[in-house]
Amino acid sequence: MRLLQSTQSTVLGEGLNFCTGLRYENDCQNCGFSQIRMNGLEGPYSQILINSRPIFSGLAGVYGLEFIPANMLERIEVVRGGGSVLYGSNAIAGTVNLILKEPRSNSFEAGISNSLVGTGVSNSNGPANDYTASFNASLVSDDYNTGIAVYGNLRERQLFDANGDGFSEIAPMKNTVIGTRIFHRPSYRNKIALDFFNIREQRDGGNMQDYPLHERDVAEAVKHDMKAGALTFEQYLRKSDLLSVFASGQYLNRDSYYGANKSLSDYGNTKDKTYNIGAQYKLVFERSFLVGGVEHTGSYLKDLKLGYPDYEHAEIGPNYNGSQDSIYSVPHIDNTIVSDQSLLTTGAFAQYEIRLGKIKLLAGARMEHYSIKDKQTEGSNKSGNVFVPRASFMYDITPWAQTRLGFSRSYRAPQIFDEDLHIETSGSRQVIHKNAPDLKQENSSSFTLSFDINRNIGNVLAGLLVEGFYTKLHNPFRNEIGEPDENGTVIYTRVNAEEGASVQGVNIELKVMPLPTLAFNGGLTIQSSRYKQGDENFDEKKFFRTPNTYGFFTLDWDFLPDFCLTATGNYTGRMLVPYFGTELAPDSDGELRRSDTFFDAGARIHYNMKLSGGVTVQWFTGIKNIFNSYQKDFDKGIDRDPSYIYGPSSPRTVFFGFKIGNLL
């Protein structure tokens, strides 16, 4: 996880900003709802896995990119492009696989850091403190048959107000994570592994944070309690065949308040249960292998809008001990079920890969049946059978150059997605997302063509990847924006765009290591995302909030023994952003605005101070967004448009801290 360290990425989302084809964005000033866009497609088109299992639910996805701290991850596997043969649906844009810490040796690491968000930014309440403390430790038996890894993280971030209006641009947040992974080998040919982690987080965006939620102008506040676990058994058979049997699950309880103007009626509670069970067998031959398996995934979500005491319609009841001698008023409380939904998916899959000289062929297919039921929404009960094929052809042009051609199909079922569970709130309007009753599944066809070069040029190690991609969306989902009702509530209805849409572009990635002490890595994406038919509200075919160009670079230089300097940069091109804020007339249908370009430059330096016994203390400091390339036209006041936010997720930020461990 050197990338997360060198870019000072404290959470998953920040680190993904330095992967080719990926862009991390904040979509709400009030609460910090965020998502990853991959190859020009928004968050729900990418699948996030935990140890290769699809238990990261839609509810977890609302704020999940800030849930996961960097120190609980062993590595991150990013696969761009469709092809969900092994992992199921929703991988139209690609897959992000989070591999949790694995006990490999007797080791420990602990650290503390603090960031000053908004350093030197005028008209703000900055700098705001963002404090993090973390630890990792692992212990392995002498025979390497048993091991345990534990990790923990504590983060506390203060509110950042960029324009001095008293409302958050970056919400205050507290996050606590604790987790473990345990493995045991009953014999040298098999292994049992158990994972468990608990994440508790609360965030409180809006204004007047010292007041109760229902006594504030605007409040978007949530409390999460997420528990996840997995049990895996692996058995080697024959010479190298591998049988895996697995079960994993996630339980997430969220208390929420999305309200304005001192409303008592906007408290909520959401409970989400997700599980995944299955088996997989890898059959290994001399020049090929076959992977096949079965898998079942279930998700149950119940979303309540909580009632509040209504003394006007109170009932008369006995006192607390049941006696009729005295009576008291029992207030009427009416909870409203917003969604009571289940999604069950059962699939069988197989994938075959073979090497024939300079050619490597891959072919696979997955057959899935999904069933969606929602007791609260008329016409929402849906089911379907989906065939998901994948094929690729790779040819070794030379020992150091390859070309690859790939094709895949995928789909998204018409279920609740993460943005449905986030409510945009202001004093004048509240945006709620819903599915149209006749919403059909969305399908995709994807093609990729890439050229990959890796070779030594003298003493310089260089790598270049040029990857073209094209994705055709059939019946793609898009939003129809309704008219505000008497309470200012606006319904964004997800419908199918019958004419379809397409996303196409090229990813370019360059890696150069001219010296053993100097390494450069950079990526650039040039792409276009368009519907065939213009948007009903703005008559625009382009995807919103999607720049045509974006990229990054990192440069690591070990300029002295035990010293390392890292320079980073992140570029975001212009994009179209809808605006429904205070600068428009009250009866306006909104307008489209074109954002500026941004270049977020950063630098970090660390020094390793070696102690006795192989222990090292690492001291570090640095600055993010050196030139404060940050949005300048945030909307203001109680009636602002909180979703009018774009560009880098944080302003100029100074950070410093230390780590101590025996593997630094």
Side-chain angles (χ1 to χ4, degrees):
M1 299 308 296
R2 181 174 177 131
L3 174 64
L4 297 180
Q5 174 183 297
S6 61
T7 58
Q8 196 59 28
S9 299
T10 56
V11 294
L12 168 66
E14 295 174 356
L16 293 178
N17 234 0
F18 295 91
C19 295
T20 305
L22 276 64
R23 191 174 68 82
Y24 174 62
E25 66 180 27
N26 183 357
D27 288 328
C28 182
Q29 291 168 268
N30 287 338
C31 65
F33 165 51
S34 59
Q35 61 177 311
I36 281 289
R37 292 180 183 261
M38 185 183 297
N39 279 0
L41 291 167
E42 61 183 345
Y45 286 92
S46 301
Q47 189 170 51
I48 297 180
L49 308 169
I50 298 179
N51 284 341
S52 302
R53 309 297 171 224
I55 61 169
F56 201 75
S57 66
L59 180 60
V62 182
Y63 304 107
L65 296 175
E66 286 194 302
F67 272 5
I68 308 294
N71 75 301
M72 72 180 281
L73 300 174
E74 178 85 12
R75 66 184 186 276
I76 303 172
E77 299 174 349
V78 176
V79 179
R80 295 184 299 271
S84 52
V85 168
L86 298 182
Y87 301 123
S89 62
N90 291 1
I92 291 175
T95 301
V96 178
N97 191 8
L98 310 179
I99 308 300
L100 304 183
K101 285 290 185 181
E102 177 85 18
R104 300 184 183 280
S105 61
N106 297 332
S107 63
F108 77 95
E109 181 181 306
I112 296 174
S113 67
N114 190 50
S115 298
L116 302 175
V117 181
T119 301
V121 177
S122 61
N123 299 322
S124 73
N125 74 323
N129 283 296
D130 188 351
Y131 168 85
T132 301
S134 63
F135 76 89
N136 297 84
S138 64
L139 183 65
V140 180
S141 62
D142 292 339
D143 58 7
Y144 293 97
N145 285 335
T146 306
I148 181 172
V150 293
Y151 49 85
N153 186 275
L154 172 66
R155 184 184 185 192
E156 184 169 348
R157 181 180 67 198
Q158 295 177 336
L159 176 146
F160 177 72
D161 173 13
N163 53 17
D165 67 344
F167 291 80
S168 63
E169 267 68 62
I170 298 177
M173 180 256 285
K174 295 180 180 178
N175 180 287
T176 304
V177 179
I178 189 75
T180 185
R181 179 176 177 85
I182 303 170
F183 79 82
H184 176 66
R185 301 181 189 274
S187 71
Y188 80 101
R189 297 277 287 175
N190 52 36
K191 177 182 176 180
I192 301 172
L194 173 68
D195 289 278
F196 175 81
F197 64 85
N198 178 219
I199 298 175
R200 294 190 176 187
E201 191 220 54
Q202 61 182 40
R203 57 182 67 211
D204 187 9
N207 75 331
M208 301 169 63
Q209 271 74 17
D210 293 333
Y211 285 73
L213 297 173
H214 58 269
E215 293 185 10
R216 292 160 52 176
D217 295 328
V218 172
E220 291 191 15
V222 289
K223 291 183 179 179
H224 295 96
D225 186 357
M226 177 180 177
K227 299 177 176 67
L231 182 64
T232 304
F233 173 75
E234 297 179 340
Q235 174 70 58
Y236 281 96
L237 301 168
R238 299 201 317 160
K239 184 177 180 181
S240 302
D241 292 359
L242 178 62
L243 170 67
S244 299
V245 181
F246 49 85
S248 57
Q250 171 213 276
Y251 173 75
L252 179 54
N253 183 24
R254 182 183 82 168
D255 292 318
S256 63
Y257 179 89
Y258 292 98
N261 295 314
K262 303 179 181 178
S263 169
L264 271 170
S265 60
D266 290 304
Y267 287 93
N269 175 261
T270 313
K271 290 182 171 62
D272 178 52
K273 304 171 186 175
T274 303
Y275 68 88
N276 173 256
I277 57 175
Q280 181 175 299
Y281 192 87
K282 183 176 182 180
L283 191 62
V284 180
F285 304 101
E286 183 178 352
R287 293 181 299 174
S288 64
F289 63 87
L290 173 67
V291 179
V294 293
E295 191 172 42
H296 176 74
T297 303
S299 180
Y300 301 88
L301 181 141
K302 191 170 186 178
D303 187 29
L304 296 176
K305 187 172 185 180
L306 302 182
Y308 58 95
D310 180 2
Y311 290 95
E312 182 179 349
H313 300 92
E315 301 174 356
I316 302 300
N319 68 6
Y320 69 92
N321 61 9
S323 171
Q324 299 294 331
D325 296 337
S326 60
I327 60 176
Y328 73 106
S329 295
V330 181
H332 177 74
I333 299 177
D334 185 19
N335 294 337
T336 302
I337 299 176
V338 178
S339 178
D340 189 357
Q341 186 180 96
S342 66
L343 168 65
L344 300 177
T345 305
T346 303
F349 58 90
Q351 183 169 287
Y352 181 68
E353 185 173 325
I354 185 171
R355 165 72 76 169
L356 300 171
K358 294 184 176 182
I359 297 173
K360 184 162 70 174
L361 300 173
L362 181 148
R366 186 183 186 97
M367 189 69 190
E368 281 196 346
H369 174 79
Y370 69 84
S371 174
I372 300 172
K373 296 182 180 180
D374 193 329
K375 300 177 183 177
Q376 301 306 119
T377 305
E378 183 180 355
S380 64
N381 295 345
K382 302 178 186 299
S383 62
N385 297 308
V386 185
F387 179 68
V388 181
R390 179 192 179 195
S392 70
F393 169 87
M394 191 184 81
Y395 178 70
D396 294 332
I397 303 171
T398 70
W400 44 266
Q402 295 83 34
T403 184
R404 183 190 299 266
L405 175 65
F407 166 78
S408 64
R409 292 183 61 88
S410 195
Y411 78 102
R412 283 207 297 165
Q415 67 202 74
I416 281 181
F417 298 107
D418 50 11
E419 63 265 38
D420 305 341
L421 300 164
H422 165 251
I423 300 174
E424 298 168 19
T425 305
S426 73
S428 61
R429 73 197 296 262
Q430 189 176 67
V431 175
I432 297 175
H433 296 257
K434 291 186 177 180
N435 288 344
D438 59 347
L439 188 69
K440 297 178 288 188
Q441 75 181 37
E442 178 178 8
N443 299 292
S444 70
S445 301
S446 298
F447 299 87
T448 59
L449 175 63
S450 65
F451 295 91
D452 193 4
I453 299 172
N454 292 278
R455 68 170 306 179
N456 290 321
I457 305 173
N459 294 324
V460 177
L461 178 62
L464 175 65
L465 171 69
V466 180
E467 175 188 75
F469 59 89
Y470 174 83
T471 299
K472 170 69 174 177
L473 301 177
H474 313 279
N475 296 322
F477 299 149
R478 71 184 306 171
N479 286 326
E480 286 186 351
I481 303 175
E483 295 292 331
D485 64 16
E486 65 275 8
N487 299 315
T489 301
V490 181
I491 304 297
Y492 280 31
T493 304
R494 185 180 292 111
V495 299
N496 295 108
E498 301 294 343
E499 297 299 320
S502 62
V503 179
Q504 59 225 332
V506 60
N507 290 313
I508 303 170
E509 185 171 332
L510 176 65
K511 297 181 179 181
V512 181
M513 194 170 181
L515 299 170
T517 57
L518 185 64
F520 172 88
N521 182 30
L524 176 67
T525 299
I526 304 170
Q527 61 94 49
S528 171
S529 307
R530 298 175 66 90
Y531 294 100
K532 284 191 175 181
Q533 185 175 359
D535 178 84
E536 282 192 2
N537 302 92
F538 299 109
D539 192 27
E540 175 58 56
K541 295 182 179 180
K542 292 182 180 179
F543 284 23
F544 300 154
R545 306 182 63 87
T546 306
N548 288 338
T549 55
Y550 51 95
F552 74 94
F553 78 83
T554 63
L555 179 68
D556 289 302
W557 181 27
D558 298 325
F559 61 96
L560 286 173
D562 299 320
F563 282 90
C564 181
L565 174 66
T566 300
T568 61
N570 216 287
Y571 171 77
T572 304
R574 295 179 183 272
M575 61 184 126
L576 295 175
V577 185
Y579 175 70
F580 300 92
T582 57
E583 297 178 16
L584 304 178
D587 58 349
S588 171
D589 292 330
E591 68 179 24
L592 274 181
R593 296 184 173 182
R594 190 173 178 83
S595 72
D596 296 328
T597 60
F598 297 92
F599 180 68
D600 178 354
R604 180 184 188 271
I605 187 170
H606 76 247
Y607 166 64
N608 288 335
M609 184 175 70
K610 292 182 170 56
L611 306 179
S612 60
V615 176
T616 300
V617 177
Q618 183 180 101
W619 304 91
F620 60 87
T621 186
I623 184 169
K624 298 180 181 179
N625 206 344
I626 296 172
F627 306 111
N628 196 39
S629 182
Y630 194 55
Q631 183 177 342
K632 300 297 191 294
D633 64 339
F634 287 112
D635 210 8
K636 294 183 179 182
I638 183 175
D639 293 332
R640 69 178 183 170
D641 179 2
S643 65
Y644 183 64
I645 181 171
Y646 54 85
S649 58
S650 62
R652 182 186 298 117
T653 300
V654 173
F655 60 87
F656 50 88
F658 76 93
K659 294 192 295 185
I660 183 170
N662 63 345
L663 293 180
L664 294 175

